[in-house]
Amino acid sequence: MTENEHIGGDEKETGATRSGFVALIGPTNAGKSTLMNRLVGAKVSIVSHKVQTTRAIVRGIAIHDNAQIVFMDTPGIFKPRRRLDRAMVTSAWGGAKDADLIMLLIDSERGLRGDAEAILEGLKEVRQPKILALNKIDQVKREDLLKLAAAANELVPFERTFMISATTGSGCDDLMDYLAQTLPEGPWYYPEDQISDLPMRQLAAEITREKLFLRLHQELPYSSHVETEKWEERKDGSVRIEQVIYVERESQKKITLGKGGEAIKAISTASRKELSEILEQPVHLFLFVKVRENWGDDPERFREMGLEFPRH
């Protein structure tokens, strides 16, 4: 289904409902994934203290009042160095230009330093209406928040500015009320009980990738990628999942496995537990680690991640 196609909804009359796409953009580690999971009310995007965790656009679907709000969690925007970096940044700006509304999320503690100012410059060229959300407000004095809001609004004219905490939920109700009233009138895009358009195989791979990051964030660089290779629904109601963790060097494989297989067992246990909760069925998870040198230059891996492969 393309973004311009609505599902037919007999129970939702055109005009009585609203729906639209909200692109969530911002610097790396501004809290975009945490915020989207908060607004959707379920985990649809992986969260890690490691920057640049989100690689492709993940859509999370929320219902608020009579509106269906489709959040597009985009990769953090930063100065790209590698081919994968370029693909992620292109994906983020592409997501912004496809949306009905753009929400810029800024970490209040970091303010406009670094990538935030560059993003504000880029937003001047984007025609869609834009709102500003200042995150982590519980960490910053009110007068400093007001100065930050004023400085950002001087650079880009935002329709509204919201002060929120993605972690505690403070200010999120006001934000959802505004979105529900602002999005265009029309039928909903997705079925009422759907919370993401990410296929389960891909979501499962993302969850394992999150556990990999949480366990090995200091030892393992970004050169790892997870793919779900087999998904078998079994007669006893359980599901057997086989996944491959790709790394670029033999030394990274050793780190991922850990001494006596300790690291891979811990990653597998954590991922299996969360997958069982999400799927509401027993999960048998089997992880394999393979070395694939320069997978970051392989167009097939980019397609698996939902990214366009940069040719140069």
Side-chain angles (χ1 to χ4, degrees), residues 76-124:
I77 297 173
F78 56 98
K79 285 192 180 73
R81 290 186 296 277
R82 304 162 300 162
R83 194 189 292 265
L84 178 59
D85 297 344
R86 292 198 298 277
M88 288 160 64
V89 171
T90 300
S91 172
W93 281 115
K97 287 166 184 168
D98 287 342
D100 295 293
L101 180 73
I102 294 168
M103 187 194 321
L104 172 63
L105 189 67
I106 296 285
D107 178 335
S108 299
E109 288 185 288
R110 288 211 307 260
L112 301 186
R113 293 194 298 275
D115 295 322
E117 200 158 359
I119 294 169
L120 283 162
E121 283 298 318
L123 278 177
K124 291 178 182 178

Side-chain angles (χ1 to χ4, degrees), residues 70-81:
V70 185
F71 293 101
M72 302 158 69
D73 180 16
T74 62
I77 297 173
F78 56 98
K79 285 192 180 73
R81 290 186 296 277

Side-chain angles (χ1 to χ4, degrees), residues 32-74:
K32 296 184 299 298
S33 298
T34 303
L35 179 60
M36 185 165 84
N37 292 341
R38 161 77 59 184
L39 299 179
V40 172
K43 186 162 184 175
V44 291
S45 192
I46 74 170
V47 178
S48 159
H49 49 266
K50 196 172 178 68
V51 298
Q52 301 156 30
T53 310
T54 301
R55 283 178 172 169
I57 290 174
V58 177
R59 292 189 187 95
I61 304 152
I63 309 295
H64 190 77
D65 295 338
N66 221 23
Q68 186 179 69
I69 307 162
V70 185
F71 293 101
M72 302 158 69
D73 180 16
T74 62

Side-chain angles (χ1 to χ4, degrees), residues 227-245:
E227 287 181 22
T228 302
E229 292 216 325
K230 289 186 181 173
W231 186 291
E232 180 195 346
E233 297 284 348
R234 303 174 69 166
K235 288 178 184 174
D236 62 2
S238 67
V239 59
R240 177 190 168 95
I241 302 170
E242 291 184 15
Q243 294 178 329
V244 178
I245 298 170

Side-chain angles (χ1 to χ4, degrees), residues 57-292:
I57 290 174
V58 177
R59 292 189 187 95
I61 304 152
I63 309 295
H64 190 77
D65 295 338
N66 221 23
Q68 186 179 69
I69 307 162
V70 185
F71 293 101
M72 302 158 69
D73 180 16
T74 62
I77 297 173
F78 56 98
K79 285 192 180 73
R81 290 186 296 277
R82 304 162 300 162
R83 194 189 292 265
L84 178 59
D85 297 344
R86 292 198 298 277
M88 288 160 64
V89 171
T90 300
S91 172
W93 281 115
K97 287 166 184 168
D98 287 342
D100 295 293
L101 180 73
I102 294 168
M103 187 194 321
L104 172 63
L105 189 67
I106 296 285
D107 178 335
S108 299
E109 288 185 288
R110 288 211 307 260
L112 301 186
R113 293 194 298 275
D115 295 322
E117 200 158 359
I119 294 169
L120 283 162
E121 283 298 318
L123 278 177
K124 291 178 182 178
E125 310 300 317
V126 181
R127 59 176 176 78
Q128 281 90 338
K130 297 167 273 287
I131 61 173
L132 174 66
L134 299 182
N135 192 22
K136 306 180 187 177
I137 56 166
D138 42 340
Q139 311 289 326
V140 180
K141 291 179 183 173
R142 180 161 178 79
E143 55 264 36
D144 293 334
L145 286 171
L146 294 173
K147 283 179 192 170
L148 176 57
N153 276 273
E154 266 183 40
L155 293 168
V156 173
F158 291 99
E159 308 281 328
R160 285 279 295 273
T161 296
F162 293 88
M163 311 274 186
I164 65 162
S165 167
T167 306
T168 67
S170 174
C172 289
D173 286 343
D174 289 342
L175 174 59
M176 290 294 277
D177 287 344
Y178 174 82
L179 295 174
Q181 292 158 15
T182 306
L183 289 175
E185 285 193 0
W188 292 356
Y189 286 90
Y190 296 97
E192 191 165 351
D193 58 352
Q194 190 170 337
I195 59 166
S196 175
D197 72 344
L198 199 64
M200 272 317 305
R201 290 171 73 107
Q202 200 176 334
L203 181 61
E206 286 288 279
I207 285 167
T208 299
R209 190 162 68 90
E210 176 187 59
K211 305 312 174 197
L212 183 70
F213 275 172
L214 291 174
R215 173 83 188 190
L216 301 172
H217 67 99
Q218 289 177 325
E219 298 96 327
L220 199 66
Y222 295 102
S223 37
S224 60
H225 171 55
V226 180
E227 287 181 22
T228 302
E229 292 216 325
K230 289 186 181 173
W231 186 291
E232 180 195 346
E233 297 284 348
R234 303 174 69 166
K235 288 178 184 174
D236 62 2
S238 67
V239 59
R240 177 190 168 95
I241 302 170
E242 291 184 15
Q243 294 178 329
V244 178
I245 298 170
Y246 288 105
V247 293
E248 289 193 317
R249 292 190 293 280
E250 196 64 43
S251 60
Q252 293 169 354
K253 180 177 180 178
K254 286 178 183 169
I255 291 168
T256 306
L257 291 171
K259 191 175 180 182
E262 180 189 1
I264 198 74
K265 281 178 197 164
I267 292 160
S268 179
T269 299
S271 184
R272 186 179 69 246
K273 182 174 182 290
E274 186 160 327
L275 282 168
S276 296
E277 290 169 4
I278 289 172
L279 296 169
E280 298 179 341
Q281 65 188 122
V283 170
H284 307 283
L285 178 63
F286 299 87
L287 298 183
F288 305 91
V289 186
K290 292 184 182 177
V291 178
R292 179 169 279 165

